[in-house]
Amino acid sequence: VVAAFLSPLLPAFTSSLRRIQSGGGGCVTRKAVVSDPTALLEAVREDLTEKGTLQHWQAAADALAKSLGEGKEEAELILAKAFGWTGWFQLNRPSYLKPKLPPAPEQITQALRWLSDGPLQLSPQQLKVALAKKPQVYLLDPRASYEKALEVAPEQWRSAEAFRALLLKKPQVLDLTHNCLLTDPAERVINEDGEAVHCDGRCTNCWRVATPRLMGQVLDGVEV
């Protein structure tokens, strides 16, 4: 199963992965590290005050803090990472970046309740680990992401038990809601050479790209 899944990747993805790693593509993201969380939150609150949306932000943070049993500032930092405020702050608050507001408090509460009581059965500590790694997908309709990710997962992780075991090690797999091995190449964009592009352009959410790393593999000597 493993060999069959990886073999189609090697010739097609090597050049594009090298291009991505050298800065020529958009499929790899960098971890956001905030050296001054206090300054970040002050900047977020200032911007939201100007837009008249600070009350919504604070209500969402209160709901998240209550559900997690954490302080409000910790909840705000999770929201900042989840909805683009961290990158916005690190880039000196450029006007072309448009960070988003979090969902309504009741949606956050509902999402976290499903994560705890649903098929994933995440403990408070497991939930905190997941939110630290990939917060947005866990706060925005995680049930829908779970169902889609499970549907298109490689065979070895397509059972609820196997998927959960993988998610506890790699929380980001909840965001893998696409698998271009399961799509029709004939429906892909045609390049200048008249050939179908080898990918659907959804690398950040695609099992095909993520699987080698999840298995400790590399593609033709190129880490992904």
Side-chain angles (χ1 to χ4, degrees):
V1 171
V2 173
F5 188 84
L6 293 179
S7 59
L9 298 174
L10 300 179
F13 272 83
T14 300
S15 60
S16 60
L17 287 169
R18 287 188 179 126
R19 175 178 56 81
I20 290 167
Q21 291 189 318
S22 65
C27 294
V28 175
T29 57
R30 298 181 183 276
K31 293 182 179 180
V33 179
V34 180
S35 59
D36 191 344
T38 300
L40 163 63
L41 294 182
E42 288 176 353
V44 172
R45 293 166 188 155
E46 178 184 332
D47 188 81
L48 292 173
T49 298
E50 293 175 358
K51 296 174 179 175
T53 52
L54 180 60
Q55 186 175 358
H56 176 97
W57 173 270
Q58 291 178 329
D62 285 337
L64 181 56
K66 182 178 180 180
S67 295
L68 293 178
E70 293 284 351
K72 185 173 180 178
E73 287 197 356
E74 180 63 29
E76 286 187 272
L77 290 172
I78 292 172
L79 295 179
K81 179 177 180 180
F83 298 103
W85 295 93
T86 300
W88 168 83
F89 175 74
Q90 290 176 318
L91 292 174
N92 200 25
R93 305 164 67 168
S95 59
Y96 62 84
L97 286 182
K98 307 295 182 184
K100 298 178 181 179
L101 285 174
E106 56 270 21
Q107 290 179 268
I108 291 177
T109 301
Q110 182 180 10
L112 297 181
R113 184 179 298 120
W114 182 86
L115 289 165
S116 299
D117 300 340
L120 291 176
Q121 294 284 307
L122 297 185
S123 69
Q125 183 57 37
Q126 289 166 343
L127 185 53
K128 290 174 186 177
V129 170
L131 288 169
K133 183 70 176 179
K134 196 81 173 180
Q136 187 180 103
V137 71
Y138 284 87
L139 297 174
L140 288 178
D141 201 357
R143 179 175 183 171
S145 295
Y146 169 79
E147 291 173 352
K148 187 61 178 176
L150 196 63
E151 178 186 351
V152 298
E155 184 179 350
Q156 62 266 42
W157 295 309
R158 205 168 290 170
S159 71
E161 296 78 10
F163 182 85
R164 181 180 183 275
L166 177 64
L167 181 140
L168 292 179
K169 297 177 182 177
K170 303 289 184 179
Q172 63 270 30
V173 300
L174 188 63
D175 207 24
L176 298 179
T177 55
H178 186 72
N179 189 340
C180 61
L181 281 178
L182 303 179
T183 61
D184 186 354
E187 296 179 357
R188 294 176 185 158
V189 176
I190 303 300
N191 64 20
E192 61 272 15
D193 298 321
E195 299 176 349
V197 175
H198 61 255
C199 128
D200 292 331
R202 297 179 58 184
C203 303
T204 56
N205 302 106
C206 187
W207 279 102
R208 186 180 190 185
V209 174
T211 294
R213 172 173 286 180
L214 295 174
M215 301 179 67
Q217 304 284 338
V218 296
L219 296 183
D220 196 21
V222 180
E223 293 186 7
V224 293

